[in-house]
Structures are given as structure tokens and as C-alpha cells.
């Protein structure tokens, strides 16, 4: 996620306050790096995407669970949210821009009701975060510093903005 320094520090302070009070903004998958007591969110039993490219995007992103979050990261040593999307898309031969805000203009718009596995889901206004939809209300994403690539419930994420189909 790319934000300005002031927005990043404000979000960080708010996140620290909420997590210190035991309030989680988004559930975490069972990962060694996940904080103790974090809710377990698993992928739908079998993710079946509508086509081969979307399936490859989903499979690649899921295979990267547990990879550390690294701001600006776009390799298997670490990812930020848009780096994960760009890496997974490239594995399927799909080219997308590098930042979440630019990715929010790629492909074609999709209504929330018509989401399919492999679609990109965006958060905040302006867009500042992206995940890859898995089906059953779940997505895989690289959340934030100190976390890992993991699965989350789209409906439990704050600030849903839009979705795009890239494959």
C-alpha cells in the first residue's frame, strides 16, 4: 500500500490503538507469522476460476501465503499488496500497472455482486489497497508491515472501493 507519510502515520496510530484494544480490522490466516489469537480465515475449499489465466493468478497468489509484507516488494522475498497482484498476474501472462491506484484502472469494472475468482478488489478512497478475490467472500492479499500474504474476508475489510477483472 502506498500512502503519504502523514496518512501512513495516522493509519498506523489508529491501527495500533485498535489492535491494542483487541480489535482486528481484518482477520488473518493461520500463519506462523500471524499474531497469537488471530482469527483463522481459510480459502474456499476449492477455488475454481472462470478461465486458465484467472486460475493461474489465484493459484500463484495462494502459493505465496506466508511471504512477508515488504513495502514496495514485488518478489518472493516480500510483497506489498500491488506487488503481489503484479507478480501473480505476470505468472499468467497478464500485465498490470505497479501501484494499487493504477491497477484500479486496469481491465474492466466488475460489480461486487458479480465478483469471480481472480478479480481484483480495491479498498479506500482514493484506492490504496488491493487483493485478489477467491470466491465465497474471501481474498488473498499482502496486508501491511509486520504481516504476511494471507487470506481475509472481503466484508470484514474496511473501505471497499471497487473491483476489476483482469483475466
Amino acid at each position: 500500500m502506498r500512502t503519504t507519510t502523514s496518512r501512513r502515520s495516522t493509519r498506523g496510530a489508529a491501527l495500533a490503538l485498535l489492535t491494542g484494544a483487541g480489535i482486528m480490522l481484518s482477520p488473518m490466516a493461520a500463519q506462523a507469522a500471524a499474531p497469537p489469537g488471530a482469527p483463522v480465515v481459510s480459502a474456499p475449499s476449492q477455488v475454481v476460476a472462470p478461465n486458465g489465466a484467472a486460475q493461474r493468478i489465484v493459484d500463484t497468489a495462494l502459493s505465496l501465503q506466508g511471504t512477508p509484507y515488504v513495502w514496495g516488494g514485488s518478489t518472493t522475498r516480500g510483497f506489498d499488496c500491488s506487488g503481489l497482484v503484479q507478480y501473480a498476474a505476470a505468472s499468467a501472462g497478464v500485465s498490470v500497472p505497479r501501484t494499487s491506484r493504477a491497477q484500479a484502472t486496469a481491465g474492466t469494472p466488475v460489480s461486487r455482486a458479480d465478483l469471480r475468482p481472480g478479480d481484483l478488489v480495491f479498498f479506500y478512497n482514493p484506492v490504496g489497497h488491493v487483493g485478489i478475490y477467491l470466491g465465497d467472500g474471501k481474498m488473498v492479499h499482502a496486508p501491511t508491515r509486520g504481516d504476511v500474504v494471507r487470506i481475509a474476508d472481503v466484508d470484514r475489510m474496511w473501505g471497499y472501493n471497487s473491483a476489476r477483472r483482469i483475466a
Side-chain angles (χ1 to χ4, degrees):
M1 176 167 76
R2 296 178 188 261
T3 59
T4 64
T5 304
S6 63
R7 287 185 63 201
R8 192 175 17 207
S9 61
T10 303
R11 280 191 193 147
L15 180 61
L17 179 64
L18 292 170
T19 54
I23 299 169
M24 297 301 295
L25 295 179
S26 62
M28 292 175 236
Q31 301 288 343
V40 175
V41 178
S42 58
S45 58
Q46 183 178 0
V47 178
V48 179
N51 59 59
Q55 188 69 54
R56 178 71 181 195
I57 291 168
V58 166
D59 291 345
T60 298
L62 287 173
S63 76
L64 296 166
Q65 288 182 88
T67 303
Y69 176 93
V70 173
W71 186 83
S74 59
T75 71
T76 56
R77 293 188 329 185
F79 292 102
D80 65 7
C81 63
S82 56
L84 173 67
V85 166
Q86 189 178 50
Y87 185 92
S91 76
V94 177
S95 178
V96 295
R98 175 60 184 91
T99 67
S100 57
R101 192 169 303 164
Q103 289 171 354
T105 66
T108 57
V110 178
S111 73
R112 195 166 183 169
D114 291 329
L115 285 170
R116 298 189 307 208
D119 289 344
L120 305 183
V121 287
F122 298 94
F123 298 87
Y124 314 130
N125 188 12
V127 169
H129 188 66
V130 61
I132 300 169
Y133 190 70
L134 301 173
D136 294 337
K138 310 277 192 260
M139 71 176 190
V140 61
H141 69 144
T144 191
R145 185 180 337 142
D147 210 334
V148 296
V149 173
R150 62 180 172 81
I151 297 168
D153 286 311
V154 173
D155 290 338
R156 304 230 17 220
M157 291 285 297
W158 176 85
Y160 180 89
N161 180 295
S162 59
R164 306 289 285 196
R165 185 159 297 142
I166 59 169

